[in-house]
């Protein structure tokens, strides 16, 4: 386990990393895009080939801290003039091995962009399986992976006073939350994870993060928070003695019970108007769709909650088991793979599980004890930039709150404009006078594509921030020679949906 990080030594290391230009873009540039893609897949050979023969600080630090490869002591000393070899040894990040320095942890640059701007952090974590050269230990502290980048990107970037990061791991979500939240409590069952969190906060000069050891909401006691975020250990794992129980991904419960416990328990720790966001898995079980099971969890919450649940992927039991067996470093050709696969499939069969969904959950405690007004459970399969949609989610919530406060007369009196990322596509048969399909396409957000009829297409196109929606609908009714009142009844509910999904915006 890491020793408690010494602030002065950490500051010296940060100075050295900065002086070496040890940043995401610089490292990627040093070995190229193809090698960088290979590193993401756990293949370090191409990156090492690209850096061969280089002994400059950037190359030395990239090999040592990104790839986890031992380096000559003299080269490391030259790359770290302030912290020195003794500094990273004292921090528990490396050890001496003859004339070389062997890494004991990774320190990888991680870039992040949100409405507040761009940052480049250094994130320390345990050695990955490529550096270890085999299966990971069960107490492994994970670095920044695809799931954690997704959650960091979907955090709503609106100001808040108090935040809670449940299952913080290396601390990336706490650091991300701190950009918009004044004070963050980061919790984990792993003392090692909390030390990495404290190290990473110091390394990046981020204050206002308090760490507490414990499971789920236990460390929060009776406190409430304006923001709660969690990338919990949601991986569904057989409760069998010889199946590895990795702390970073396995919460020790059966099936998807951990996500269920989070959803049903988080409301008590949300302040009025507070928002909770998490990643999770849910089972389609006994013929009940996974999203419907999540809906039932929300409805069982003792604290009424608004809910927006987005399913991004569904895997069958075999594919799910293979994914997480490989994640632990056991390949299909390795001894024991078949045994692990059988354990997973037996576990799923015992609950009649036919599919496993993955996605994200946004829950909100209505302000002032108001009744929930949002219950949205949807599947979004198209590829999109998960790492930059937090602002879209915040905008959707703001639009929802404004829309539900308006009756149809109020909505008709509202002045709207179409969003700048919206385009229209029309498809028609050769020689046909009218299109057979009209689509509105969204460039940002969830990259939605919506089929519309000529009336709605005409309304969206006319929403330029000038005239109220009702006036435009009346004009379209006259043009199409249909009843204006009937057209309002038809269009206004769809306008509400387009406002929530971001195709339309209020002009004021």
């Amino acid at each position: 386990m890491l020793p408690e990080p010494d602030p002065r030594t950490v500051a010296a290391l940060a100075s050295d990393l900065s002086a070496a230009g040890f940043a995401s873009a610089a490292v990627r540039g040093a070995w190229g895009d193809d090698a960088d893609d290979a590193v993401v897949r756990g293949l370090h050979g191409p990156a090492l080939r690209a850096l061969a023969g280089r002994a400059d600080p950037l190359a030395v630090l990239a090999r040592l801290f990104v790839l986890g490869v031992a380096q000559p002591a003299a080269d490391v000393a030259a790359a770290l003039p302030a912290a020195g070899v003794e500094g990273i040894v004292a921090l528990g990040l490396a050890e001496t091995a003859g004339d070389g320095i062997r890494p004991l942890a990774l320190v990888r640059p991680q870039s992040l962009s949100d409405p507040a701007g761009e940052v480049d952090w250094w994130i320390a974590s345990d050695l990955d399986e490529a550096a270890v050269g085999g299966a990971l230990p069960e107490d492994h502290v994970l670095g920044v992976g695809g799931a954690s980048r997704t959650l960091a990107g979907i955090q709503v970037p609106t100001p808040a006073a108090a935040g809670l990061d449940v299952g913080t791991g290396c601390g990336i979500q706490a650091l991300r939350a701190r950009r918009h939240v004044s004070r963050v409590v980061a919790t984990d069952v792993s003392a090692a994870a909390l030390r990495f969190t404290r190290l990473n906060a110091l390394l990046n000069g981020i204050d206002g993060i308090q760490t507490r050891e414990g499971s789920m909401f236990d460390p929060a006691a009776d406190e409430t928070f304006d923001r709660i975020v969690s990338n919990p250990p949601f991986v569904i794992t057989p409760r069998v003695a010889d199946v590895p129980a990795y702390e970073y991904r396995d919460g020790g419960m059966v099936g998807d019970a951990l996500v269920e416990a989070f959803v049903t328990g988080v409301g008590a720790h949300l302040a009025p108007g507070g928002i909770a966001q998490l990643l999770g898995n849910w089972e389609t079980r006994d013929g009940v769709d996974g999203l419907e099971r999540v809906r039932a969890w929300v409805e069982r919450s003792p604290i009424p909650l608004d809910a927006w649940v987005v399913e991004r992927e569904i895997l069958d039991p075999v594919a799910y088991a293979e994914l997480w067996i490989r994640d632990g470093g056991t390949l299909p050709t390795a001894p024991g793979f078949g045994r692990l696969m059988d354990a997973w499939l037996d576990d799923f069969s015992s609950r009649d599980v036919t599919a496993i969904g993955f996605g994200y959950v946004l829950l909100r405690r209505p302000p002032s004890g108001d009744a929930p007004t949002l219950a949205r459970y949807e599947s979004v399969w198209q590829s999109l930039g998960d790492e930059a949609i937090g602002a879209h989610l915040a905008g959707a919530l703001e639009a929802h709150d404004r829309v539900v406060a308006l009756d149809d007369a109020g909505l008709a009196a509202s002045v709207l404009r179409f969003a700048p990322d919206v385009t229209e596509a029309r498809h028609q048969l050769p020689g046909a006078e009218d299109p057979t399909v009209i689509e509105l396409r969204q460039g940002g957000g969830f990259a939605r594509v919506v089929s519309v009829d000529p009336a709605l297409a005409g309304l969206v196109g006319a929403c330029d921030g000038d005239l109220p929606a009702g006036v435009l609908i009346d004009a379209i009714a006259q043009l199409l020679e249909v009843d204006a009142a009937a057209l309002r009844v038809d269009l206004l509910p769809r306008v509400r949906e387009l406002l929530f999904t971001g195709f339309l915006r209020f002009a004021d």
Side-chain angles (χ1 to χ4, degrees):
M1 182 186 295
L2 288 177
E4 191 61 34
D6 171 62
R8 294 180 61 182
T9 306
V10 175
L13 175 59
S15 175
D16 288 333
L17 297 180
S18 179
F22 191 57
S24 298
V27 171
R28 287 195 301 270
W31 54 47
D33 291 341
D34 291 342
D36 196 62
D37 290 341
V39 169
V40 172
R41 301 194 304 272
L43 303 174
H44 291 176
L48 290 171
R49 288 174 61 89
L51 297 178
R54 289 181 53 175
D56 56 282
L58 179 63
V60 171
L61 294 174
R63 286 191 293 259
L64 182 71
F65 283 144
V66 178
L67 304 180
V69 176
Q71 296 296 290
D75 290 348
V76 175
L80 301 173
V85 169
E86 63 277 9
I88 60 173
V89 169
L91 291 172
L93 300 175
E95 64 181 2
T96 58
D99 294 332
I101 302 300
R102 180 187 299 126
L104 297 177
L106 302 176
V107 183
R108 287 176 165 167
Q110 176 65 46
S111 59
L112 175 73
S113 178
D114 65 15
E118 295 187 4
V119 293
D120 214 310
W121 288 328
W122 301 296
I123 303 297
S125 65
D126 276 329
L127 298 173
D128 60 18
E129 63 186 67
V132 170
L136 298 171
E138 293 187 11
D139 61 355
H140 176 78
V141 177
L142 190 68
V144 179
S148 52
R149 284 194 296 270
T150 294
L151 183 58
I154 68 173
Q155 285 193 42
V156 292
T158 50
L164 174 68
D165 176 14
V166 179
T168 191
C170 67
I172 182 63
Q173 305 306 329
L175 269 63
R176 168 63 179 80
R178 185 64 183 83
R179 286 173 61 76
H180 302 282
V181 180
S182 300
R183 175 181 63 87
V184 175
V185 174
T187 73
D188 207 290
V189 297
S190 167
L194 296 177
R195 289 198 176 186
F196 271 114
T197 295
R198 293 193 290 273
L199 170 63
N200 288 327
L202 286 171
L203 193 56
N204 295 286
I206 298 174
D207 61 6
I209 297 176
Q210 180 189 72
T211 59
R212 300 179 190 172
E213 187 173 349
S215 177
M216 291 289 284
F217 302 113
D218 290 347
D222 297 327
E223 293 176 69
T224 59
F225 301 86
D226 306 296
R227 295 286 183 273
I228 298 178
V229 64
S230 182
N231 183 9
F234 57 75
V235 176
I236 298 167
T237 306
R239 303 267 66 88
V240 179
D242 56 354
V243 174
Y246 295 107
E247 287 183 351
Y248 71 90
R249 71 182 202 189
D250 175 20
M253 298 186 185
V254 174
D256 51 20
L258 184 136
V259 178
E260 178 183 6
F262 189 103
V263 170
T264 56
V266 71
H269 299 282
L270 283 172
I275 294 172
Q277 293 179 273
L278 70 146
L279 303 183
N281 281 159
W282 36 83
E283 298 175 336
T284 291
R285 182 194 297 180
D286 294 324
V288 180
D289 181 79
L291 280 178
E292 288 305 307
R293 295 185 64 244
V294 179
R295 184 194 297 269
W297 300 342
V298 174
E299 292 174 350
R300 289 208 311 271
S301 169
I303 305 297
L305 297 171
D306 287 322
W308 185 5
V309 182
V310 179
E311 188 171 65
R312 296 286 288 123
E313 185 179 14
I314 293 180
L315 294 177
D316 62 72
V318 173
Y320 187 91
E322 181 182 1
L323 171 66
W324 294 109
I325 295 170
R326 283 175 173 267
D327 178 78
T330 302
L331 299 179
T333 55
F337 183 91
R339 174 183 53 79
L340 291 173
M341 176 64 74
D342 286 341
W344 249 278
L345 296 184
D346 288 346
D347 181 59
F348 285 135
S349 178
S350 70
R351 294 187 301 281
D352 193 23
V353 174
T354 56
I356 304 93
F358 167 82
Y360 18 90
V361 178
L362 187 155
L363 304 170
R364 182 176 63 169
R365 184 171 182 172
S368 304
D370 296 340
T373 57
L374 177 62
R376 189 180 183 97
Y377 301 82
E378 60 180 326
S379 297
V380 179
W381 306 122
Q382 62 267 26
S383 177
L384 52 95
D386 286 340
E387 297 181 26
I389 63 172
H392 173 76
L393 301 182
L397 291 178
E398 182 180 358
H400 168 80
D401 292 342
R402 186 165 178 180
V403 165
V404 297
L406 294 172
D407 58 15
D408 282 353
L411 182 58
S414 300
V415 179
L416 311 175
R417 65 172 69 249
F418 59 82
D421 65 332
V422 172
T423 57
E424 181 186 286
R426 293 179 177 242
H427 308 273
Q428 60 194 75
L429 296 173
E433 183 174 342
D434 297 317
T436 55
V437 177
I438 306 174
E439 293 177 333
L440 298 178
R441 297 178 175 177
Q442 186 178 53
F446 284 110
R448 300 178 191 269
V449 178
V450 179
S451 294
V452 297
D453 54 32
L456 185 55
L459 175 60
V460 172
C463 286
D464 58 2
D466 186 16
L467 297 174
V471 173
L472 296 176
I473 292 174
D474 292 346
I476 292 170
Q478 185 175 8
L479 181 65
L480 297 178
E481 299 181 343
V482 299
D483 180 72
L487 190 60
R488 285 194 183 203
V489 171
D490 175 52
L491 291 183
L492 288 177
R494 292 192 279 167
V495 168
R496 292 178 184 274
E497 172 70 5
L498 292 179
L499 281 164
F500 178 83
T501 52
F503 286 85
L504 289 174
R505 299 177 181 176
F506 288 98
D508 56 343

